[in-house]
């Protein structure tokens, strides 16, 4: 386990400008063009995260809990460097393994082997690193000669195997998970779960966004509660789940 990995967020906010349906409609555009109205449509500002302060150190297994739309996925994307804060500062030390948006970088017209390289580069691996693990990735998928065929010929189950194998081939000191990944048939799911457990065990930090209470209890030692983009509580897993669920810790979040 890495003893140096850390994540520090100070007063981090993320906002997105969103045009209203009226401003985006063809009728509205046509009226502006015909009447020579040149004023720009005024976007509505959505605050996805608001003033987040967070300090995560090596050994922490942190759950992010909250209702849909609370900002859980946005926070993971900020930690991964996909979104940049519009206010505040973020300091992440350690290589991040982001296990969400797993299909990004795949090309249906390219072969399985070609997509191993494409996706590997997307998740930040070096070309030499992917080449060194190419055979291992191929073996893990159990797809054999199918890897020489374009992705458009794959079933959904075959796609999931390839996506998971590539996503977990490169380990990180910080693992970011948006729900636990379940793939393929029962036999492959068992193998995938074992690999995921091993990756998490070796990581310095795990940040998990999930609605699965049992998973959070068995995996995480800390938790934070998000509500409408604000972090309203932080503490032990038990404390935050009791707060979030109102004491009904035996049901799903």
């Amino acid at each position: 386990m890495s003893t140096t990995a850390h994540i520090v967020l100070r007063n981090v906010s993320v906002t997105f400008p969103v045009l209203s349906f009226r401003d985006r409609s063809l009728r509205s555009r046509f009226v502006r063009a015909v009447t020579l109205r040149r004023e720009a449509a005024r976007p509505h500002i959505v605050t996805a995260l608001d003033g987040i302060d967070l300090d995560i150190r090596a050994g922490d297994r942190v759950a992010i809990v909250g209702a849909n739309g609370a900002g859980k996925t946005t926070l993971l994307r900020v930690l991964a460097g996909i979104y940049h804060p519009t206010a505040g500062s973020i300091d992440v030390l350690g290589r991040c393994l982001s296990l969400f948006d797993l299909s990004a970088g795949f090309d249906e017209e390219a072969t399985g082997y070609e997509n191993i390289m494409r996706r590997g580069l997307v998740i930040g691996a070096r070309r030499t690193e992917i080449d060194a693990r190419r055979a291992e990735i191929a073996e893990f998928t159990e797809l054999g000669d199918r890897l020489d065929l374009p992705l458009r010929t794959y079933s959904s189950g075959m796609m999931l195997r390839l996506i998971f194998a590539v996503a977990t081939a490169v380990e990180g000191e910080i693992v970011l998970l948006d729900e636990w990944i379940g793939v393929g048939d029962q036999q492959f799911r068992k193998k995938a779960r074992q690999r995921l457990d091993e990756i998490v065990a070796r990581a310095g930090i795990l940040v998990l966004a999930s609605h699965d209470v049992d998973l959070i209890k068995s995996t995480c030692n800390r938790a934070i509660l998000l509500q409408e983009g604000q972090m309203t509580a932080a503490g032990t897993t038990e404390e935050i789940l009791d707060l979030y669920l109102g004491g009904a810790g035996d049901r799903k979040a």
Side-chain angles (χ1 to χ4, degrees), residues 13 35 47 78 139 143 218:
S13 297
T35 60
T47 301
V78 168
E139 181 180 359
L143 293 177
S218 65

Side-chain angles (χ1 to χ4, degrees), residues 58-75:
D60 285 339
R61 304 290 188 257
V62 181
I64 308 173
V65 299
N68 289 334
K72 300 187 298 295
T73 300
T74 300
L75 180 53

Side-chain angles (χ1 to χ4, degrees), residues 22-252:
R22 182 175 61 83
D23 290 327
R24 289 186 286 117
S25 68
L26 288 174
R27 180 178 181 275
S28 177
R29 294 179 185 178
F30 176 76
V31 169
R32 284 199 297 270
V34 170
T35 60
L36 300 180
R37 290 167 57 191
R38 296 184 178 277
E39 68 270 21
R42 296 181 180 179
H44 175 66
I45 303 300
V46 173
T47 301
L49 295 177
D50 185 11
I52 303 294
D53 287 311
L54 191 58
D55 195 331
I56 304 175
R57 300 292 171 176
D60 285 339
R61 304 290 188 257
V62 181
I64 308 173
V65 299
N68 289 334
K72 300 187 298 295
T73 300
T74 300
L75 180 53
L76 283 179
R77 288 177 175 172
V78 168
L79 299 181
I82 299 172
Y83 292 163
H84 296 287
T86 49
S89 63
I90 177 170
D91 178 24
V92 177
L93 178 62
R95 184 179 192 176
C96 286
L97 174 61
S98 305
L99 296 178
F100 51 87
D101 295 338
L102 295 184
S103 61
F106 282 87
D107 180 356
E108 288 194 347
E109 295 302 319
T111 68
Y113 280 119
E114 290 168 341
N115 274 290
I116 288 174
M117 178 62 70
R118 291 174 61 93
R119 173 61 187 179
L121 294 173
V122 166
I123 63 177
R126 295 179 297 275
R127 187 175 294 272
T128 54
E129 189 176 9
I130 304 167
D131 282 335
R133 301 200 174 190
R134 185 171 180 265
E136 174 192 335
I137 295 170
E139 181 180 359
F140 190 87
T141 67
E142 300 177 355
L143 293 177
D145 293 340
R146 290 278 191 172
L147 290 171
D148 291 312
L149 299 177
L151 252 60
R152 58 181 166 77
T153 66
Y154 287 25
S155 67
S156 59
M158 292 166 61
M159 276 287 298
L160 285 172
R161 285 177 177 233
L162 180 61
I163 289 170
F164 180 84
V166 179
T168 57
V170 180
E171 296 187 13
E173 296 164 297
I174 300 170
V175 175
L176 308 174
L177 260 173
D178 195 354
E179 294 293 351
W180 206 263
I181 303 169
V183 292
D185 54 35
Q186 184 174 354
Q187 182 178 351
F188 190 79
R189 279 200 304 270
K190 183 178 179 180
K191 184 168 76 167
R193 176 61 189 255
Q194 181 179 350
R195 171 175 274 199
L196 208 50
D197 286 341
E198 291 171 352
I199 289 173
V200 169
R202 289 193 291 267
I205 290 172
L206 168 69
V207 183
L208 168 67
S210 179
H211 290 282
D212 190 327
V213 170
D214 293 334
L215 174 63
I216 291 172
K217 286 182 176 180
S218 65
T219 306
C220 300
N221 59 1
R222 292 179 55 194
I224 64 172
L225 175 61
L226 292 183
Q227 293 180 315
E228 297 181 350
Q230 296 183 327
M231 192 174 79
T232 57
T236 67
T237 303
E238 293 77 10
E239 290 169 344
I240 300 305
L241 286 177
D242 283 346
L243 178 63
Y244 178 51
L245 301 174
D250 59 348
R251 64 179 174 85
K252 299 289 183 184

